[in-house]
């Protein structure tokens, strides 16, 4: 998964509400917690080991095809609206369907009292670059 959810422009002023208080260059380079870097390096190690094993068994074309499928499935998303994009195909390909973390059931924005339905037209305008702002202002 890529670090950071939103891209920032260098010339823009720092928005503390959107990017956090310590969102400078240091925050982009260093993980927020020392244990997080260990978890990420271990996950990368096992992914590389699994990739090496499948290349030894099935050949290099298998990994290339799997990488291309992952790129295609990671870009496919549902248009902004009432239902969030689940990325089911990508989760099935990467094997993360079986992972069930606390973020899957805690603090769902739909359960909040101040949740506002997203505007489909504004979301598509933002995605196509015709308008600025967040795709979905979820709270009042």
């Amino acid at each position: 998964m890529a670090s950071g959810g939103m891209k920032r422009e260098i010339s823009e002023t720092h928005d503390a509400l959107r990017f956090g208080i310590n969102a400078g260059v240091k925050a982009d380079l260093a993980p927020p917690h020392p244990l997080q870097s260990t978890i990420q390096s271990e996950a990368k190690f096992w992914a590389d080991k699994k990739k090496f094993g499948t290349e030894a068994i099935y050949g290099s074309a298998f990994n290339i095809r799997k990488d291309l499928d992952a790129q295609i499935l990671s870009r496919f998303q549902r248009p902004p609206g009432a239902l969030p994009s689940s990325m089911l195909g990508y989760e099935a390909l990467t094997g993360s369907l079986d992972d069930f973390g606390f973020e899957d059931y805690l603090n769902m924005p739909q359960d909040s009292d101040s949740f506002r339905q997203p505007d489909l037209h504004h979301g598509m305008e933002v995605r196509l670059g015709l308008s600025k702002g967040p795709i979905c202002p979820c709270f009042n």
Side-chain angles (χ1 to χ4, degrees), residues 28-47:
D28 290 341
L29 298 176
H33 195 273
L35 185 60
Q36 187 176 3
S37 63
T38 305
I39 291 171
Q40 288 174 348
S41 65
E42 185 178 347
K44 184 180 180 326
F45 169 76
W46 286 109

Side-chain angles (χ1 to χ4, degrees), residues 105-116:
Y105 61 91
L106 289 178
N107 290 334
M108 301 288 289
Q110 295 86 359
D111 297 339
S112 175
D113 294 337
S114 59
F115 179 71
R116 185 172 43 163

Side-chain angles (χ1 to χ4, degrees), residues 88-103:
L88 183 64
Y90 181 71
E91 289 178 359
L93 183 70
T94 59
S96 62
L97 261 176
D98 299 333
D99 298 337
F100 190 74
F102 68 91
E103 64 273 2

Side-chain angles (χ1 to χ4, degrees), residues 37-84:
S37 63
T38 305
I39 291 171
Q40 288 174 348
S41 65
E42 185 178 347
K44 184 180 180 326
F45 169 76
W46 286 109
D48 290 344
K49 192 167 184 126
K50 186 175 182 182
K51 199 176 264 193
F52 179 74
T54 56
E55 185 172 335
I57 295 171
Y58 300 111
S60 62
F62 182 79
N63 282 334
I64 293 171
R65 168 91 187 238
K66 191 172 180 180
D67 289 341
L68 285 174
D69 288 344
Q71 288 177 7
I72 291 169
L73 291 172
S74 68
R75 280 189 269 148
F76 176 74
Q77 288 186 347
R78 184 177 285 146
L83 297 174

